[in-house]
Amino acid sequence: MSSLANLRLPTRRYALGAGFALEGLKYFKYWVLAALVLSFAVPLVISQYSDVALSAWYYTANVGKWFTAFVGGGFVFTLVPNMIAAGLTRRELAVSMGVFGVLWSLVLGAVAFAGILGERAYYDALGWSQGIDASDAIAPIGSLGDTIAFASYYPLLYLVYFAAGTVIGIASYRWEGAGWLLLVPIIPVVFSLDNGLYDTEPVGPGWAGFLGLFMDGWARGVVIATIVAVTAVLAAAAYRILIDVPLRSKKA
Amino acid sequence: MSFTVNLRNVTLKYGAEAALADVDLDLEAGKIYGLLGRNGAGKTSLLSLLAAFRRPTSGEVRVGGEPVWENAPIVSRVALIREGGDFDDSETVKAVIETGQIRPSFDTDYAYKLADKFEVPLKKRVSALSRGKRSVLAAVCGLAARAELTMFDEVHLGMDAPTRDAFYKELLAEYMERPHTVVLSTHLIDEVANYLEEVIIVDRGRILRHADIEAFQGMGATLTGPADAVDALGLAALAEQRLGGTKSITVADALDKSVRERAAAAGIEIGPVGLQDLFIHLTDPNRNGA
């Protein structure tokens, strides 16, 4: 990581977190670029054969949530042995992962936010309808204000997915062969809250949103507060699992 | 400043099995230690505790006079290099070296110099390196860490003999330039014996012996002379070699005056015992009273 030169001990945890985010974005920049190009090109192709009524960016932004979960989990799984062996404490790594998660979610959230507004202008220019798949019916996102409100939750959603991925990643490192089972309680909670926030069908396994049945009628503010609380619980769980994780023995 | 090491009543269990049991150990700062032990004796477990890779089940581990666990100012100056290194295989050699900069003391220029000297290509991915080159990369990162306590755990595995020799020489040169505490865990005992100041033998989760190298060498003797004369001494040999009428035996116990006089009279030469032979004897599972 070229961004690591001249780190100072008291602040290296923050610099490392920012470095992880920067390196992650650099590593995946072509993926993001490809998603951007596809999201704007595919509707153009579809328009040659039928009316465009669905937001392509909506799907891209949703896939970004799963991608973010994989980034959180994959990075922590790889970083635990590498960073501890390089002289970092677990507490420092936990702080770094926190900084990384916040920055990653903000940047990707900003990209998702800009993308959906850009797509709105693009669709308006070509006379298309920017709709979403809302409970078996296609519904337009709405006015500019509605679109901004719709997109403004992405950073928070990316953060909760990042936290979920991080818990599963560190658990998989700690409990080899069994840690991934934390998927079972975590996915339905996060996916259902995502579902509940938009009252739509996010991209992913629909069955995992079964907890949404219990959220019918929840005010948006309550759902958001619950997402914030779940993010905090997941971050605390990741910290607890990480803080005394032993490094695995090397295998021949 | 180099680090001291102090372990008090340290036990490390994996499940119900104790890898280390009630270990007490003190290492002075600024020396090169050899850590010897049979497979599964507890060497790697011991080193893992010193580097805070693991937390002891009970007991206290202090490095540089302070508890090592989650102590950033200490662990940032402790380097444990395990066989094959702890790298992200998808990264390039250059990226792995740059990761070392997490340590404030890491000497990047020195790392590049060593990579060039040992012919480790910077642009190659770790996954594409041979086992030997991967070991060299691990050693390079360990040396360039410029840590106050540097531990190499079987890091030589995969290196060919000239590379191992160059590594030991580089280690010694770095040590002479910047005295610090070094622990070498290895099975190639005779190969490193000349570099060691003290030796720790771990056996079945306990410290079997800890003494300076001269003390170990004085524990036994090698007797070389006419085969009949050597046999006539009636000593219990740890190891023996025969070439024509000449026989060489290694004994584990110090020779008393009368044996020395009889040996000298019979034209038998007495020399120090090889550390490896002594180690084999001391860790023999059939040996009593270790």
Side-chain angles (χ1 to χ4, degrees), chain B residues 43-63:
Chain B
K43 304 186 296 297
T44 298
S45 295
L46 179 61
L47 297 180
S48 296
L49 294 179
L50 299 185
F53 282 16
R54 289 185 173 273
R55 192 176 201 170
T57 308
S58 63
E60 188 181 37
V61 180
R62 297 177 86 88
V63 173

Side-chain angles (χ1 to χ4, degrees), chain A residues 1-2 4-5 7 9 12 78 81-92 243-244 246-250, chain B residues 52-55 69-73 75-76 80 82-88 95 98-99 101-104 134:
Chain A
M1 253 183 275
S2 54
L4 299 182
L7 287 183
L9 198 58
R12 66 177 178 173
T78 307
N82 296 355
M83 293 295 115
I84 292 174
L88 204 70
T89 65
R90 291 152 183 81
R91 195 172 292 116
E92 286 179 303
I243 200 64
D244 56 0
L247 258 60
R248 287 182 188 170
S249 301
K250 301 282 283 184
Chain B
F53 282 16
R54 289 185 173 273
R55 192 176 201 170
W69 182 257
E70 287 297 281
N71 188 335
V75 295
S76 62
L80 167 56
R82 304 196 287 183
E83 190 240 321
D86 287 282
F87 309 132
D88 177 355
E98 286 171 348
T99 300
Q101 295 170 339
I102 289 168
R103 298 176 193 279
R134 196 183 164 106

Side-chain angles (χ1 to χ4, degrees), chain A residues 54-226:
Chain A
L54 273 173
S55 162
W57 189 255
Y58 172 70
Y59 290 98
T60 303
N62 272 302
V63 169
K65 296 170 192 167
W66 295 96
F67 173 60
T68 293
F70 280 112
V71 166
F75 265 66
V76 79
F77 187 91
T78 307
L79 288 171
V80 163
N82 296 355
M83 293 295 115
I84 292 174
L88 204 70
T89 65
R90 291 152 183 81
R91 195 172 292 116
E92 286 179 303
L93 181 57
V95 172
S96 300
M97 285 301 298
V99 171
F100 174 27
V102 168
L103 289 177
W104 176 271
S105 303
L106 281 174
V107 171
L108 228 60
V111 170
F113 185 90
I116 213 152
L117 290 181
E119 187 188 65
R120 180 185 172 84
Y122 176 56
Y123 275 36
D124 280 352
L126 295 170
W128 300 337
S129 171
Q130 191 186 26
I132 52 172
D133 186 4
S135 303
D136 300 328
I138 295 172
I141 294 176
S143 65
L144 179 62
D146 292 336
T147 310
I148 289 172
F150 182 87
S152 62
Y153 300 123
Y154 277 121
L156 177 61
L157 285 169
Y158 286 136
L159 190 59
V160 73
Y161 274 84
F162 186 94
T166 303
V167 173
I168 294 161
I170 185 62
S172 300
Y173 181 84
R174 181 163 188 154
W175 299 294
E176 193 177 5
W180 64 272
L181 288 170
L182 278 178
L183 279 167
V184 176
I186 290 175
I187 281 191
V189 171
V190 172
F191 197 71
S192 298
L193 282 167
D194 186 355
N195 210 339
L197 180 63
Y198 286 127
D199 195 21
T200 62
E201 299 289 341
V203 175
W207 57 266
F210 72 92
L211 289 174
L213 294 172
F214 305 101
M215 294 177 199
D216 280 350
W218 283 22
R220 180 157 291 179
V222 175
V223 178
I224 290 169
T226 309

Side-chain angles (χ1 to χ4, degrees), chain B residues 207-225:
Chain B
I207 304 296
L208 183 65
R209 295 280 171 99
H210 174 201
D212 61 38
I213 191 83
E214 289 83 8
F216 273 99
Q217 288 166 339
M219 284 171 70
T222 301
L223 298 97
T224 306

